[in-house]
Structures are given as C-alpha cells and as structure tokens.
Amino acid sequence: MTIHGDERSGEERKKAETTADELVGLFPPGTRTDSDGTLVVGGCRLDDVAAQFGTPAIVVSEDALRQRARDYLGAFRSRWPRCDVAFASKSFPCTAVQRVMVEEGLHLDVAGGGEIRTALKAGADPARILLHGNAKSDDELGLAVKHGVGLVVVDNFDDIDRLERIVPAGHQQPCLVRVIPGVEAATHASQATGHAGSKFGLMPDDARSAIARIERSAKMRLDGVHTHVGSQLLNIEQLAQAVEPIAKLGTFEVYDLGGGLGVRYTYDEHPPSLDEYAEAMVGQAKALLPAGSRIIVEPGRSMVANSACTVYRVTTLKRGVVTHVAVDGGMGDNLEVSLTGQRFEATIVDRVGGGETVSVVGRHCESGDQLVDGVALREPSIGDLLAVPVTGAYCYTMSNQYNGARRVPVVFTRAGAARLVVRRDTWDDLLMRDVD
C-alpha cells in the first residue's frame, strides 16, 4: 500500500526523498546515470549488461576494484613501509578477483584448499599466500606445504601436530600463531572473532605454549603472530585494541593485524575512512611493535564490497498491507540479510532515488528471503530492472542453489566493455553431482 502525504512517517518521508546522487554514492566509484537516467557502472549501462548476461548478475567495476587495492597499499605503506596487504579471499573467492589483487601487488589470504587452488590459478606466488582455518585437514596442509605457501597461520595445537607429521625432513614451514586478543567486537555475533571463547585462535597463555613448541620444531619456523577482531567493524578503536595483546607476546619478525574494517551499506552508516583506519592501526604499531618488523593487514569486505552491485528483474508486484516487490533472485545470491541482518539499499535501474516505500523480496520459499525491507522505489512494475549496491563482499561467497536456483554470474565492467568472468550455472550443473 502506498502511503501518501502526512500519513507517512518521518522515516518513510526521508526514504521517499532520497536523491539520485545519494543512491549513486553507494554504487562503485565512477558510477553515474546516463542521459535517460539509467545507471552506468564501469562505463556500462546496467540494462545493457542485463540484456547480455541475464539476471540476477553480480556486476563489478574493475577500475574500482583495482583502485581500492592501490589505495590500501598506499595508505599503509606510506605509514609503515614494511607492510603487506593480503586480500582476504573468502570475501570474494572468485579467481578473476584474486587475479586483480595479485596484479596490483597484494598477497592473498586463503581459507582452505579450494581457495589455495583458485589463488594458484589466479597466478599468485605461493610465497605470498597465507593459509587460515580453525580446522585444517591433512590434505589442505599437505597442499600448502607441497606448493610452498608462504605462511600457515597456526590456529591450534592440532595444526602443529599435523605440520610436524606432513612437512618433509630437511624443510621448514613458516608459521604465524593466531592469538585471541580478548576484544568484544561491536558487530553481529556471527562476525565477531576476537572475544574470549572464539573458535578461532588461542588465548595468550596457550599461544605462548604454541610459540615455544614451534620454536623447538625442526619442521616449523615461527615468523610471528596473528590476530583478528571481527568483520564489519565501524569502530576503529576496537580494531586497534588487538595490537597490544600480540605485542606482549614478544619480539617477532611478523605481526599480522588482521582485517575487519566495516563498509557503508546504507545511508545511515558512516564507517571510518581508509586513511583513518591505517592511521589508527599504524599508530598502535609504532607505539607497541619493533620498528623494523613487518606487519600484515588482511582486508576483505572493505576491499571489495563497494566494487559491485547486483542486478535483478522484478517478477511480481503485490500490494496490500505491505507492497512486496519480488525479484528473480534473493537468498540464493545474497545470504547476508538472512544470516547477519545486514541492511542494503536498492533502486530501479532507470529511475534512481525516491518513490514509495516497499519491501523487496526474493523468489525462494522462505519468509526470511527478504532483500531490502522499507526501501523507496519509484513506480516499480513487472519487468523493471532493480539494482542493489555494495554486494561485492560475501554475496558471491555464499551463493547457493536453494530451490534449484542457478548460481549467478559475475561480470566485470571497465571503460564501457563488459566481460563474463564467472558464468551462470546451467541446468546440467544442478544435476552433475548425481551418481544415480
């Protein structure tokens, strides 16, 4: 039901009055509207991209992706020259994305054997790969050792047992020990990793024992320590708090400070800038860490989220107590809403900003399949293209085949040209693992 005039709440009026410029500001840098009002990402009109590759589709501005990588390197190395930036592949584990990061001079942080394989396919130097994981298998550690992965982040004592068994005689595997910093992160519970009781890493006393054990090992080399507070953190003070606990463990060659910087998904969110983040982290490093040490940061969400948007087609419009605008995707290509309650925004591709307050829902048989609740769309109708910005992080990662949905493609746009880097599932893909 459309709400008119004074009957609308203040919040609804604010949404209805959202300008095109405000909404475009959530899309990848460089996004604009064409002369007829249609969104243009990476020089490509989104209606042309949809016509060529279908919907739903994740559309990535390659220039935005590359520039963010350069900005990260610049922000940290200008403050701490011996700083490496390792892209947290789990946030967008697409080979083409990893390849961009490699080409821009970043290291790759991987979690598991699959991401090792995509990183190698992307052309990463194995020595510039870091392997994470709280439950690494023999096969995964064997793969890392075989290919010469530069750093294995030891999460537990079982990792040490396995490496001592797997690493060949006469060789040493460089390692970091992951430390729980004891920071209660102000984020969704599923995204907090630095609190006491986290499944990741070791409390400081246990970390000391792991450090001592690795230092005695003939098959492992202790390069340093690692910590991580969580994801989608908008408070940089909490991120910086993690430096002190690892500094207290001793003097090492490497201190990995993790990632976790939050991004702007909605009009109301105002995350710290990259420079503010770098200043806070390096400020703590200068105060607490040895001057000649190497530091590593591991951005994931804040590296890729704003580089992409997802384009859908409106399939159903249902008016009643709530106006439901249903699209041809949903929790099959964006689980962030259902899993973490993350808020997104949306717009009709050729009518950007303002309009009536509606609920954008997906096609899956779950009431929780809701992409954006209470968003302003201008005159939505069946067949319209709808775009959701800031979908570069974890949407592709968690894409699935729920209700027999075909996983969505990834399209890179640059200088007016669009190219497919991940194809859409075929119907045969849905059946390919059946053995009977």
Side-chain angles (χ1 to χ4, degrees), residues 2-80:
T2 306
I3 303 174
H4 298 284
D6 294 336
E7 296 178 12
R8 297 182 300 179
S9 69
E11 182 181 357
E12 287 165 337
R13 282 196 296 272
K14 180 181 177 182
K15 290 174 182 174
E17 294 164 2
T18 301
T19 67
D21 286 345
E22 287 177 306
L23 230 168
V24 169
L26 293 176
F27 282 82
T31 297
R32 59 179 177 82
T33 54
D34 217 344
S35 57
D36 64 353
T38 300
L39 280 169
V40 178
V41 175
C44 297
R45 289 171 57 103
L46 290 184
D47 55 353
D48 290 340
V49 174
Q52 184 175 357
F53 301 105
T55 58
I58 298 172
V59 181
V60 179
S61 167
E62 185 176 348
D63 281 339
L65 196 62
R66 291 183 181 277
Q67 188 59 54
R68 187 64 168 173
R70 294 167 190 166
D71 290 345
Y72 248 102
L73 277 174
F76 275 91
R77 285 192 172 165
S78 64
R79 293 171 168 87
W80 192 282

Side-chain angles (χ1 to χ4, degrees), residues 2 4 9 17 56 148 155 180 185 211 218-219 253 378 396 419:
T2 306
H4 298 284
S9 69
E17 294 164 2
D155 183 273
I180 297 173
I211 288 168
K219 294 188 173 183
E253 170 65 16
R378 285 174 53 194
Y396 172 83
R419 63 186 177 97

Side-chain angles (χ1 to χ4, degrees), residues 220-234:
M220 304 174 70
R221 187 187 80 204
L222 180 73
D223 280 16
V225 288
H226 171 279
T227 192
H228 187 68
V229 175
S231 183
Q232 187 52 16
L233 287 168
L234 303 179

Side-chain angles (χ1 to χ4, degrees), residues 204-225:
D205 284 346
D206 286 334
R208 288 186 179 91
S209 297
I211 288 168
R213 192 172 156 194
I214 294 171
E215 288 177 332
R216 294 193 300 268
S217 173
K219 294 188 173 183
M220 304 174 70
R221 187 187 80 204
L222 180 73
D223 280 16
V225 288

